Amino acid sequence: MRKQVYIYRSFERFWHWTQAFLIFFLAATGFEVHGSFVFFGYQNAVEYHNVAAYAFIILIAFAIFWHFSTGEWKQYLPTFSNIKAQINFYLVGIFSNAPHPTKKTVLSKLNPLQRLVYFALKVLVIPVMVISGLLYMFYRYPQKGGMAGLNLDSVEPIALFHTAGAFALIAFIVVHLYLITTGHKPTTNLKAMITGYEEIEEDDTEKTAAPNEETKAETIEK
Ligand code: HEM
């Protein structure tokens, strides 16, 4: 039997959708600054990009606090077990209705590929964007045209890292949007991130319904 399980808590959903909006907005304004198209106008695009960047940094600070205070950070520890089965599923199995090789549970909601990719986003791509973005912002001000402490006499390497990170994030979004549709039904994953609830096999919820308040699964019989 399948049961509705509360899998994404309210802060998690707020963080996910705010982050999604900010990354879209930062990509749009960033590529306008880059010169890819004209929409807001260059000067506005720069200002909006700066405001959204500050909002993103504040959101990241809250998200870091949330991940550590709830213990949810452990969900993102990469694992290589079952990774081959997961890759085979996306390349072959998914087209012949094969069962999903990783069972989603409350205590382990990410499959091994998601763990790897989200971990790389958290420890690599997003820090690169924030650090290169802040360097970009303050590059001009301290020494007017150089950062003595960092031995940078041109903004070029900063721009390169920042733009490469932006392309990596966009590639991630494209794949992410496709994978959203590969749940039990095409809308299952999207609904789960909106309502917090997802339909999961009963065995899994029973195995993983944690005894403490923090991770307790709220289930509704279907
Ligand atoms: C906290 C995060 C971020 C900060 C502090 C930041 C800051 C900046 C700054 C100061 C600039 C230069 C604007 C100017 O020339 O006046 C810039 C450019 C840019 N940003 Fe960001 N940004 C951040 C996140 C992002 C994200 C998430 C994306 C894309 C998904 C992005 C994409 C871009 C692009 C494409 C450019 C143009 C780069 C170039 O042509 O050299 N930024 N950013």
Side-chain angles (χ1 to χ4, degrees):
M1 204 208 312
R2 297 177 71 84
K3 268 185 174 180
Q4 290 278 43
V5 181
Y6 189 50
I7 223 164
Y8 299 115
R9 286 179 260 173
S10 40
F11 175 79
E12 197 169 11
R13 285 174 281 138
F14 165 79
W15 161 60
H16 174 271
W17 290 114
T18 314
Q19 172 170 261
F21 168 77
L22 286 173
I23 290 179
F24 268 115
F25 191 70
L26 284 161
T29 50
F31 278 101
E32 179 157 4
V33 171
H34 190 67
S36 309
F37 57 87
V38 178
F39 183 73
F40 295 113
Y42 179 81
Q43 196 51 45
N44 285 336
V46 169
E47 271 166 37
Y48 298 161
H49 195 80
N50 284 352
V51 172
Y54 283 123
F56 191 37
I57 290 171
I58 293 169
L59 183 68
I60 290 171
F62 277 100
I64 290 173
F65 177 76
W66 180 83
H67 276 83
F68 284 106
S69 61
T70 57
E72 284 290 297
W73 63 275
K74 293 185 200 121
Q75 301 250 7
Y76 297 86
L77 287 178
T79 163
F80 288 95
S81 85
N82 224 16
I83 203 153
K84 224 173 133 207
Q86 195 66 45
I87 294 172
N88 277 340
F89 172 73
Y90 284 132
L91 292 180
V92 183
I94 198 167
F95 302 109
S96 57
N97 257 346
H100 209 284
T102 317
K103 292 270 169 278
K104 198 184 258 189
T105 69
V106 181
L107 292 184
S108 177
K109 53 194 168 209
L110 303 175
N111 72 47
L113 269 183
Q114 285 175 314
R115 277 178 185 250
L116 261 186
V117 172
Y118 295 164
F119 182 75
L121 278 181
K122 280 169 193 275
V123 304
L124 189 70
V125 182
I126 291 181
V128 162
M129 292 313 282
V130 173
I131 293 166
S132 61
L134 288 174
L135 287 175
Y136 218 147
M137 254 181 204
F138 293 108
Y139 168 77
R140 281 152 287 177
Y141 310 119
Q143 290 92 22
K144 269 228 172 280
M147 279 199 158
L150 283 172
N151 226 1
L152 284 178
D153 48 18
S154 148
V155 78
E156 214 168 300
I158 300 173
L160 271 178
F161 272 104
H162 201 69
T163 311
F167 277 112
L169 269 178
I170 287 172
F172 165 76
I173 290 169
V174 172
V175 177
H176 191 65
L177 288 178
Y178 161 62
L179 290 178
I180 283 173
T181 65
T182 63
H184 187 58
K185 289 185 211 145
T187 53
T188 304
N189 289 332
L190 178 65
K191 272 194 199 147
M193 196 44 96
I194 293 171
T195 63
Y197 285 90
E198 180 164 347
E199 231 182 62
I200 285 181
E201 286 299 326
E202 184 176 31
D203 285 351
D204 300 327
T205 67
E206 280 179 358
K207 252 187 264 154
T208 56
N212 67 43
E213 260 322 291
E214 285 239 299
T215 43
K216 199 166 77 188
E218 230 179 83
T219 57
I220 300 170
E221 290 242 3
K222 266 238 131 177

